Each structure stands twice: as structure tokens, then as C-alpha cells.
Amino acid sequence: MAEELIAFPSKAEMLDRSRQFWNPDKTQFWMDSGVPLVIDRREGYFIYDVGGKRLIDVHLNGGTYNLGHRNPEVAAAVTAAMQRFDIGNHHFPSLARTALAEALVNTAPPGLTKVVFGSGGGEAIDIALKTARHATKKRRIVSIAKAYHGHTGLAVATGDDRFSTLFLADRPDEFTHVPFNDLAAMEDALRGRDVAAVIMETIPATYGFPLPAPGYLEGTKKLCERYGALYIADEVQTGLMRTGELWAITKHGIAPDILVTGKGISGGMYPVSAVLVSEAAAGWLSEDGFAHMSTFGGAELGCIAALKTLEITCRPEIRSLVFYIADVLGRGLRRIQSAYPDWFTGIRQDGLVMGLEFGHPQGAKFVMKRLYEHGVWAIFSTLDPRVLQFKPGLLLTPDLCAELLDRAEVAIAAARDDAGSARPGGRPPALPARGTTPGAPGPRESPARRDPPSAGPASPANGRWVR
Amino acid sequence: MSEAPVTAGFDGPIAIDLLTDPAGVPRARAMLQRAQWAASAFARYDRAAVDRIVAAAAAAGAARAREYADWAVRETGFGVAEHKVIKNLASTTGLAQAYAGHDYVTPRVDPAARIVEIPRPAGVVLALTPSTNPVATVFVKSLLALMTRNAVVVSPHPLARECSADAARALADAAVAAGAPDGVIQVVDEPSVPLINALMTDERTNLIVATGGVGVVRAAYSSGTPAIGVGPGNVPVFVADDADLPEAARRIVDSKSFDNSILCTNESVLIVTEAAAGALLRHLQRAGAYLLPPEDRDKVRDLLFPGGHFDTRFVGKDATWIAAQAGLRVPGTSRVLLAPFPLVVPEEPLAHEKLCPVLGLTQVGSVRHGIGAARAVLRLGGRGHSAAIHATDPATIMEYGAALEVLRVVVNAGSSLGSAGIGTGLAPSMTIGTGFFGRSSVGENLQPKHLVQWTRLAYNEDPAVGFGDFTGLVPWEAPTGAVPPYPVASNLRDHGGRPQTGHPVPANKTPGQDDRGAAAGPARPAGTPGGTDADMEALRAEIRRVVLEELRGIVGDGRG
Ligand SMILES: Cc1ncc(COP(=O)(O)O)c(C=O)c1O
């Protein structure tokens, strides 16, 4: 049956049609990047190209596959649920939604008492922002420059304007961007008391996981309190035990007013997202419960997947695994780094949230390509291509960690040679440098930057966005 | 998935079960994975660190020896708390002392043989522990694992679930506090037959150490995982003419009444020569044994073996209580009931294993006949296990040992403790290897060496090829902090990777400290009972069934 629905004479032909019918630019981008990946089978932390090539997945789509691809327990729960449920009717109270809401509240940082469901992270962010605006009766939203909170209507305006201006969706009058790790700038943005919320990823993923400076998030929360703004913690990527705590924000002792989760919450089996809201901010749910509607928001199959995922993630054993894996990979990576200190210049790590810094403006692209060759799939940070996002799974075994480090060591060494010919400040020879300007200053120096538009239909977009 | 109520207007409880695995299995598999990590870290500890950990864990168990003795009796209804205290101490500080000088960690160098041996732990040990001897077995297996740098997952017998789990956690906490890796000792909270099967066949289990009924042991061996299983006993004890009869009598009664005969090493059938019988009987009675007259013997036999099979209600019960159940009046000081019978044959129930203070008694005409009777006892059960003899002539003792299909014979000592290495030179252990006779891979009392193997560096034997100087070369090291460390963000760490002072780290740093009650997961917050009374009733019934099944296995079916 599947063969009748999906049939291509060859991978090349399939890619042609992908260009033709789906997304010409994205399809081409990966060909040009040396990552001609079309994922077919997937299991645990392995994904397989249609040609059979096996890759260890340390991208995990930002934590979507924290528990591995097709986690058998989550798959079994969803399969069982399909004998009884479907997406459900979003207007009515639902068994699955209520159970999940309660489970989320029970495991949440203190003070979060209500849950609103969406179908994806972006929608959840929009719900969070709307909720904050309703609660504060203010309109302005503050986010960090180079933030990424999704591409829906409001979320897109919190992020880099590369993605909003293209669609005429930027709203500079309502959305303020401040540099990361700069409390003075944060205070300047809040001082006018016209800010509904500061939205903040606990560790900004797409920016290459720069770590919040000691006291930065805590200070931001205090400023929010002082100036009457809500603190929205975007835990879409940092949540769900990746840092050794269910929600990374609790490592900072912060009780956010709103917390957003998506991606990994439903184990990659059925989409759902959730916004956890404090009682004080949740007024609209009592005033007009129909105010935000979404047919697929809180789809019941997604809720079942999420219940199972949350139950697994909260087992004390899993937390222990995260500690072990973070320790072993951290030490292994530091060992590799010590061999190439000029090239592998830094490791940003909080548990299983890792950004690997390389000494070339496009460094992570070289590494990504070599990792792919050596059977590892990890993605560069679009907003800081020096940095490779390295996001290993929660259930890795000692053996697979050792294999991953072996592969990484060889790939990092090979990428160093590749970059060597391109340095200093040169562009990577075999890779398209689209999406960033070669040699552009690092993100700390340059909070927002756009690529020069390129001309011609063969290269239509002005930025390459990789999640 | 369960069916939904369809009646209009229904307003009862709604529960939708999406479980696809037997209860507890996914969690237990997660334990194996955690154990795998713990084992990989532990395998690199040095001897000083291991010694510290063993001492701390042993002390923690010993400190609560009495509490667990009472708890085990309360929970299982078996045994004598006073005696369990002794076993608990023997199985903790006693065990640690017994192996204090031993080293299963440091490489050994043999320049003469030109060999260097590097100890390599099994990895993840799955320990199945019984209901009869619950806490002491948990202690022994956990400590043996620690001595050899293994991680252990304990699956206790359902009937002794709570005391066993708590005891395992007490040791785990102490071990981790002393520097052991997190997850080095874990325990399954919801043991069941499907769960044990899942764990035994899981490829993360490196070794099964199974104590229990025949069924469990056979299942361990057929799982495909390396296993050490031990079978049931049925211990013959022979008293020869030249024995010190008063001493023999005292030892036999002490041993048979110890923990109400709950150890598989307890004497089952007393064999005595006709010449010595009269005197021995007088001494036995003086020591607290009560000789059942034939009609009373029949009542006890009928009581203990209804339909020819041992009734597990009598496991580990007092002699006087058993007598009362049989409608007999015996002196309140009776510690053992002596049940005489003429011939050791399969159809004589009293010749089979009895995990209660009823001792079969049979008379023989000669040493040769005595040996024959002892061999007959072992044909009914307990092959490979234990036997005892009270005698002085070494020739008799040698003949006895060479004739019986057992792998230990205690001489002039009680068997209950003596065969378990308490008061004899055998390895102290509650797990008695029954070897090839008993269809087991191990013929000794379980000891540390069974949980470790050695990588041997074998040099060219040609003396012209130099042999390296390995003095002081130890590939292991002591941990420098919690293993694994709390994942502190890298910008809050110093260059050695440790947390900088001054930066707060959350209080709950160890992943292992929050296990209790967390099994239910977030959907069922801790403290909320997991089921209705009816569920509990069904669960209890199921446990009873499993227990009975196992005990039937322990005592054999009378033909074994
Ligand atoms: C931190 C963060 N927030 C929000 C989103 C948006 O999620 P979605 O792609 O499901 O809309 C993403 C997606 O990558 C993200 O990384």
C-alpha cells in the first residue's frame, strides 16, 4: 500500500520532483551543502538515508526526538489510543487533554496552573504572547536579537527580521529586540512600562546555544517584575530534561509567568504543543474560553503521546542517564578540543544542550559536512555558523556515545583541514555560504544582520534557515 | 485498552489504560540502562574507592539489621526475627570482614608465569532474591556486586517486596554517598513473572544471579543470558557411632530451629546408626527436640504434606505452632519435631525438603547403609546442595563426602549456617551453588570471584623476550566527585570542569535521591494511590499465586 502512495524510480528523480513540487531552494541547499539526505527509516537515534546510509542523529529536530525516533513506548501508546481516539473535538472538555494538562501542571515550575494547547511551537508562542497582552493590557513584546521562537504571526516578529520582512510581517513598533546577555539593554527596553512580556529561550538554540551569563536570566526576571512585564520561558528546545532538569529555567530558580513547550513533548509521534500559564496571567480562559481556537490544538492523539513522553521523561532513571551522557560526551569533546584548540575553540554545554564553536566564520558548516560523511547528523547554527548544534538524545547508551565521539573526532579533524585552506576568514570552498556573509562578525558584536539579496531564480531566497 | 462505560448518565470512575507492556517493565528496563552507565563508570574505580564503598554499604545494612529482621518476618510471615538479625549482620559487616583482605580490583602480576591479570566486572547483574531469606540475600548479592565493581538490579520476591526494596535502597544510598556511581544498586518495585522474564532476556543484563524456585532458576538458564542459578536443598545429616553425640545433638537442634529452618541449607533428614540412636535421641530431646510418637508423626505428616505436597503455610513456622495445628500437645520448649520413618523412598513425604522445624529421622544398621540413605535423600531433591556429618573417623567422613552428590558437606557443625559459610571455612553466602549435580554453573557458595573475570596479558614464554615491570601500574582511579556530576552549565564551571564556587547548584543534585514513589510518573502524582481496593485485592491474590508457585518450586514436587 505504501509503495503505491510513495514511488520514485530513483533518489535523483525524487529530488527533482522535490524541487519541482515542494521547495526548490531547500532541496538544493542540502545538495550543495554536502548533506544529500532524504530520511527513510528511522529508529532510536539512527536515521537512514534512502540509499541506506546510517546516521546518528544529534540534531533531533531540536529535541523532538529526545527519546529516540519512534520510541516504542510512545508508539505503542499512540497505536493503542488510535483504537479509541482521533484528534478529537477542540471545543469540548476532553479526557486526554485534561489528563495531560494536569500532568503538565504537576511537573511544572511553581505557579503555573493552567494549560492552553496548540499544534506546534509557533502557535504556542502566539498563544503565550496573546495571553501576556491580555493579562497586562500592554502590546510591546521584548525578545533578544537573533531569537527564534517560530514563524507564526506573532512569533515571527520576535525573531530575526530576515524572516519577517520577507513576508512583510515585521512589527518594529510592537516588537523590541535587545542584545543577549545585556541587562542594561533589557532595562532600557522595559523602563517605559509598556511591555507585556519578555520572551526568552533559556538557552537560545538557533543562535548556537550561547549560555546566559550568570545572573542574566535572573536579572531579567527581576526587571520584568519591576516594570510590570511577564516573563515567558520558551522551553521548546531546552525543556524536557535536556539540561538534567525537566525545565531548564528551574536551574535558574525562576518561576516564569508563562512556559512554552513543543517539539519533544509528544515524542515526535504526533504534533502537539502547550502553554503553561500562571493563574494571574490566565484570565482570558475564564473571561472568554473560546478566544483562542485551533482545530488541531491539543489533538487527543498528541496528548496521549505527550502523556507517555512526559511519564518516561520524568522517570528518575532518565534523569540519571542525562547526567551520565552529559558527563561522558562533555569530557570526550573536551579531549577532542584539546587536540585542536585553535580550530575547535569552545564548548557551550548545559547537560545535553551543546554548542560547539569553531575558529572559522562558517566553521560549523565544514564540520556538519564531515560529520555527515562520517555518519553523524548535526546541524550548524544558522544565526552563528561558527557554532554547531550538538543535541544528543536522552537515552544514549555508553557504546553509542563512544561511537559518536569516535566519529566526531575524525570529522572535526577533517573539517579543520577543509577550513584550513579557506582561512583566515575565507569562505568554505565546497559549501554554499548562503544564509550568512562570510567573515561576518560574531553574533555578540552584530545583533541583527541580513544577507545581501542574491539575484536570479536559481538562488531565490536571501537567507537559509535551518531549524 | 479497557472498555468505556456506555450507559447514558454514567458517572463512575473513568480510567483508560494505554499500557502495552506488563506493569513495571518499561521502568525496569530504564533501570537496566541506568545500571549499564553505572557499571561502565564503576569498572574504572580503584581499590581504595571500592573498599570505602563496600564498608559504607555494609555498615548501613548492619545498622538496620534488627529493623529489617522484624520487617521481613512481619511482611512474609516466615522465620525468626532474632535469627534474621544474625543473618543480616553476617551478610553485611560479616561479609565485608570475610573479604576484607581480598582484592578484586587491582591487576595481579605473576612474573613466573609471565602473566598479568586485569579484573573485569560482569557489568549489570540482575539479582533475583527469594522470600524465605529476603533481606540477607539482597545484602549479600549487593555487597558482592560492590566488591567486584558491578551494578546490580535487584528483583525481589513479591512476598518480600517491601523489606527487600527498602534494604536495597539503604545500601544504594550509603554506597552512592561513599562515592559509588549513581544507580549502582537499584531495585524493582513491582516484581512479577513477566517482568523478571523481560529483565532476564534484556541484552543489557550481563549476568543473572537467581535464587528461588526451580522454575525461576531454569528460566534464568534458558534466558540466553549468562546465569548463576542455585537449586533447592534437601539436606541429609548422618551421625556416626564415633560422633560426639551430645554435641551433635545440640548442633542439629540449633541448626534445625535456626530461623525455623528457612534456609535451604537446613537439615532435612537425620540418619543415625542403630547403635548410636538411643543415646543421640536422649541428647536431642535434652536439646529441645520432641520425638513424635507414630500416630502423632502421621498427623504431622498429613498436616505438612496434604496430598503428598508440602503446604507452604508451614514455611518458617515455630515447632509448637505446627504441633498445635496438628492437634498435638507438645512441651512449650520444643524447638524441633522429630518425625521418625523407616525408609528413605520417594513416597515418604517426610524424606523430602521441609522448610520448617520438622526433622525426618531414620535409623540404619551401618555406615554403609547410612551413606546409602543419605544418597537416597538426595535423589528426592537437593542434588548438588549440602549435607552434614557428625563423626570423627576421617575415613568415614571421606567416604561420605565422596559418595554423596553434593558440593559441600559440613562436618561436626550445623548445616543451616555452616553450609552458608557461617562458622565453617566455606564462603559466607546465602546463595549456594549446586553445580553440575544440581544443573547449575557454579558449585561453590556465591562469592565475589563469581562476578568478575580477568583479562590475562600473556607474555611470550621465551625468557629472551623481556617481561615488563608492572609494579605500581593501576589502570583505575578514584572518582573525584559525584558520579555522574550534576550537569552545571559550562560557563559556570572552571577549567577542570567543576562547578565554580559561588554559583548555586540546585539542591536536588543527585538523580538517584528522588526515586521513591516516582514510579507512577507525572500523570499519577506521588502519594496518589494507584488503584482501587478491588485492584489491590486482585494484586494480592496474584502475588499469593506467584508465591505459592515459587514455593512449590523450592520444596520440589516430591519427585525431584
Ligand atoms: C525555541 C523554539 N521556540 C519555538 C519554535 C517553534 O516551533 P515550531 O517549529 O513547532 O512552530 C522553535 C522551533 O524550532 C524553537 O526552536
Side-chain angles (χ1 to χ4, degrees):
Chain A
M1 184 180 64
E3 292 89 289
E4 290 161 20
L5 290 174
I6 302 174
F8 300 100
S10 67
K11 181 173 173 179
E13 171 72 22
M14 178 263 153
L15 288 170
D16 280 347
R17 293 205 218 163
S18 175
R19 266 181 291 254
Q20 188 184 349
F21 296 112
W22 178 63
N23 189 322
D25 177 56
K26 236 183 189 177
T27 306
Q28 191 57 43
F29 174 81
W30 293 113
M31 301 305 112
D32 297 346
S33 299
V35 184
L37 174 63
V38 177
I39 303 168
D40 181 3
R41 284 188 302 129
R42 54 214 86 178
E43 182 165 21
Y45 295 109
F46 298 124
I47 53 179
Y48 296 83
D49 177 64
V50 286
K53 182 180 175 62
R54 187 193 85 161
L55 295 144
I56 303 174
D57 189 355
V58 280
H59 169 208
L60 301 181
N61 289 53
T64 304
Y65 305 108
N66 277 336
L67 304 182
H69 289 271
R70 300 194 302 109
N71 179 287
E73 286 188 63
V74 179
V78 173
T79 306
M82 281 196 290
Q83 313 312 308
R84 183 177 197 127
F85 296 138
D86 48 26
I87 282 166
N89 184 325
H90 59 298
H91 290 304
F92 289 96
S94 131
L95 299 171
R97 268 196 298 279
T98 305
L100 177 59
E102 189 174 349
L104 284 167
V105 165
N106 285 340
T107 51
L112 299 174
T113 56
K114 289 276 189 297
V115 181
V116 189
F117 291 107
S119 53
E123 184 190 354
I125 296 290
D126 279 14
I127 294 169
L129 299 179
K130 292 202 297 184
T131 300
R133 283 178 166 180
H134 175 269
T136 59
K137 309 294 178 234
K138 299 174 187 177
R139 197 175 285 274
R140 183 173 299 282
I141 303 292
V142 174
S143 56
I144 64 158
K146 303 232 172 234
Y148 185 93
H149 298 287
H151 279 179
T152 46
L154 297 178
V156 74
T158 66
D160 196 282
D161 57 5
R162 185 186 310 165
F163 308 104
S164 46
T165 51
L166 181 73
F167 299 113
L168 316 182
D170 55 327
R171 308 184 194 183
D173 46 325
E174 295 174 17
F175 288 79
T176 303
H177 300 174
V178 297
F180 185 55
N181 272 341
D182 183 342
L183 273 176
M186 183 63 77
E187 180 152 22
D188 285 347
L190 291 171
R191 196 173 278 120
R193 295 187 172 276
D194 62 342
V195 174
V198 172
I199 180 162
M200 182 79 80
E201 254 195 291
T202 307
I203 310 169
T206 309
Y207 199 2
F209 295 119
L211 295 166
Y216 176 63
L217 298 182
E218 296 83 344
T220 298
K221 176 69 165 68
K222 286 213 180 69
L223 290 172
C224 285
E225 287 163 14
R226 183 175 313 153
Y227 295 113
L230 301 188
Y231 185 103
I232 302 174
D234 181 343
E235 290 268 348
V236 168
Q237 290 219 31
T238 50
L240 297 166
M241 206 54 82
R242 293 202 60 79
T243 64
E245 301 292 348
L246 185 61
W247 307 111
I249 194 69
T250 60
K251 282 181 129 174
H252 299 269
I254 293 173
D257 300 290
I258 298 176
L259 183 150
V260 180
T261 181
K263 287 193 187 281
I265 185 66
S266 48
M269 290 302 299
Y270 199 97
V272 81
S273 62
V275 187
L276 284 64
V277 187
S278 72
E279 202 59 29
W284 69 265
L285 289 168
S286 304
E287 195 180 312
D288 180 358
F290 289 80
H292 177 88
M293 277 195 261
S294 167
T295 303
F296 296 162
E300 292 186 0
L301 291 175
C303 289
I304 298 291
L307 272 167
K308 189 34 105 181
T309 301
L310 198 57
E311 187 261 319
I312 295 171
T313 307
C314 287
R315 291 175 192 159
E317 291 79 18
I318 305 308
R319 185 160 179 262
S320 179
L321 299 188
V322 169
F323 285 30
Y324 273 114
I325 298 164
D327 181 43
V328 159
L329 292 181
R331 277 187 290 124
L333 288 168
R334 284 196 293 278
R335 198 190 58 236
I336 297 170
Q337 191 194 5
S338 67
Y340 311 104
D342 60 321
W343 160 238
F344 186 178
T345 51
I347 299 172
R348 305 162 173 179
Q349 181 183 9
D350 191 346
L352 301 181
V353 172
M354 299 186 216
L356 314 185
E357 301 168 17
F358 294 93
H360 184 287
Q362 304 287 320
K365 290 187 179 176
F366 293 99
V367 180
M368 173 183 78
K369 177 171 184 283
R370 287 298 189 173
L371 280 172
Y372 180 79
E373 273 173 35
H374 289 90
V376 176
W377 167 230
I379 201 162
F380 69 95
S381 309
T382 313
L383 291 177
D384 188 357
R386 291 182 309 126
V387 183
L388 185 81
Q389 298 185 34
F390 199 76
K391 307 188 252 199
L394 273 55
L395 308 180
L396 284 172
T397 61
D399 278 357
L400 196 52
C401 285
E403 183 185 327
L404 177 60
L405 287 168
D406 287 350
R407 292 175 185 273
E409 181 162 8
V410 177
I412 286 170
R416 176 172 177 261
D417 296 338
D418 299 343
S421 53
R423 265 179 300 156
R427 48 188 303 137
L431 288 170
R434 308 178 303 175
T436 46
T437 306
R444 279 164 220 247
E445 301 95 77
S446 167
R449 180 192 41 70
R450 294 188 51 194
D451 294 322
S454 50
S459 175
N462 69 345
R464 290 302 170 275
W465 189 259
V466 180
R467 300 295 319 129
Chain B
M1 253 161 73
S2 56
E3 264 315 297
V6 287
T7 335
F10 167 88
D11 195 16
I14 305 167
I16 294 163
D17 171 19
L18 292 169
L19 276 182
T20 45
D21 277 313
V25 168
R27 180 93 195 276
R29 287 198 198 278
M31 285 183 188
L32 290 182
Q33 195 170 355
R34 184 191 202 175
Q36 194 178 38
W37 275 104
S40 70
F42 203 19
R44 307 202 61 83
Y45 276 43
D46 68 7
R47 184 179 176 198
V50 169
D51 284 352
R52 240 188 345 267
I53 290 162
V54 169
R64 298 175 67 184
R66 157 140 308 271
E67 180 189 341
Y68 286 125
D70 292 337
W71 190 343
V73 171
R74 195 167 62 240
E75 188 176 349
T76 64
F78 302 155
V80 180
E82 214 54 58
H83 297 158
K84 288 190 188 293
V85 175
I86 295 170
K87 287 197 298 184
N88 289 347
L89 290 173
S91 304
T92 49
T93 40
L95 195 73
Q97 272 157 23
Y99 292 110
H102 297 232
D103 183 350
Y104 303 96
V105 176
T106 315
R108 303 191 290 222
V109 184
D110 183 346
R114 300 168 70 81
I115 280 200
V116 179
E117 299 178 313
I118 306 169
R120 312 302 295 273
V124 177
V125 175
L126 173 64
L128 308 179
T129 59
S131 62
T132 45
N133 207 19
V135 173
T137 308
V138 167
F139 284 162
V140 171
K141 290 185 178 178
S142 299
L143 288 173
L144 296 186
L146 292 179
M147 288 172 189
T148 47
R149 303 181 298 171
N150 285 291
V152 61
V153 174
V154 176
S155 181
H157 191 282
L159 195 68
R161 185 168 60 88
E162 287 174 17
C163 61
S164 302
D166 202 83
R169 290 202 172 102
L171 260 56
D173 288 350
V176 170
D182 175 73
V184 73
I185 300 173
Q186 298 175 83
V187 60
V188 162
D189 275 306
E190 306 171 64
S192 67
V193 172
L195 181 135
I196 291 169
N197 282 331
L199 296 192
M200 289 197 302
T201 51
D202 193 299
E203 62 184 27
R204 286 166 294 202
T205 300
N206 297 110
L207 175 66
I208 304 166
V209 183
T211 311
V214 178
V216 159
V217 172
R218 294 321 319 158
Y221 276 115
S222 38
S223 67
T225 303
I228 299 175
V230 301
N234 189 27
V235 179
V237 50
F238 178 56
V239 179
D241 297 354
D242 63 350
D244 179 340
L245 297 180
E247 275 303 298
R250 189 184 55 74
R251 292 182 196 124
I252 290 167
V253 172
D254 282 352
S255 177
K256 185 64 191 168
S257 59
F258 185 83
D259 211 5
N260 282 339
S261 282
I262 212 162
L263 280 90
C264 53
T265 44
N266 85 84
E267 287 86 347
S268 180
V269 176
L270 171 57
I271 302 157
V272 60
T273 56
E274 278 150 9
L280 182 69
L281 268 175
R282 278 196 306 283
H283 292 300
L284 283 168
Q285 284 164 315
R286 207 163 298 148
Y290 177 78
L291 179 65
L292 296 166
E295 61 278 17
D296 289 356
R297 185 263 330 267
D298 291 347
K299 284 184 191 155
V300 168
R301 182 199 278 134
D302 291 345
L303 179 75
L304 296 185
F305 293 94
H309 294 290
F310 187 72
D311 183 341
T312 52
R313 283 185 303 138
F314 299 102
V315 170
K317 290 297 193 301
D318 291 339
T320 49
W321 185 82
I322 292 171
Q325 296 298 301
L328 309 181
R329 296 191 42 199
V330 303
T333 53
S334 304
R335 293 196 286 155
V336 170
L337 305 179
L338 284 172
F341 60 86
L343 201 58
V344 181
V345 284
E347 64 271 25
E348 172 53 75
L350 291 166
H352 292 263
E353 189 185 36
K354 301 161 288 295
L355 292 172
C356 68
V358 175
L359 181 63
L361 172 64
T362 193
Q363 298 189 20
V364 291
S366 67
V367 169
R368 191 177 61 78
H369 285 103
I371 291 173
R375 286 173 55 86
V377 168
L378 292 164
R379 281 198 296 275
L380 307 184
R383 268 207 175 95
H385 212 286
S386 313
I389 183 168
H390 300 264
T392 42
D393 182 0
T396 306
I397 297 166
M398 176 71 92
E399 202 184 333
Y400 187 73
L404 267 53
E405 292 192 337
V406 292
L407 293 170
R408 58 199 62 64
V409 177
V410 299
V411 181
N412 296 327
S415 179
S416 275
L417 292 176
S419 291
I422 300 168
T424 63
L426 295 170
S429 186
M430 296 294 147
T431 301
I432 310 297
T434 51
F436 302 143
F437 291 132
R439 303 186 74 201
S440 170
S441 60
V442 166
E444 296 166 297
N445 290 4
L446 185 72
Q447 49 199 292
K449 69 173 184 186
H450 296 130
L451 307 185
V452 63
Q453 294 176 340
W454 301 76
T455 298
R456 294 190 170 80
L457 314 178
Y459 270 68
N460 190 327
E461 65 180 7
D462 180 354
V465 181
F467 182 70
D469 178 7
F470 288 91
T471 35
L473 274 186
V474 175
W476 323 128
E477 54 191 24
T480 53
V483 176
Y486 183 83
V488 174
S490 55
N491 65 340
L492 304 181
R493 278 186 249 152
D494 64 22
H495 290 298
R498 331 187 125 275
Q500 287 168 10
T501 43
H503 287 302
V505 162
N508 182 16
K509 282 179 303 191
T510 31
Q513 300 303 306
D514 53 348
D515 291 19
R516 262 135 280 187
R524 223 197 282 159
T528 310
T532 62
D533 287 349
D535 290 346
M536 280 312 293
E537 213 33 65
L539 189 66
R540 282 197 203 99
E542 166 70 1
I543 288 173
R544 249 206 101 60
R545 194 189 60 72
V546 171
V547 169
L548 289 178
E549 213 165 77
E550 191 197 310
L551 286 172
R552 221 167 280 136
I554 291 174
V555 300
D557 65 357
R559 304 289 170 269

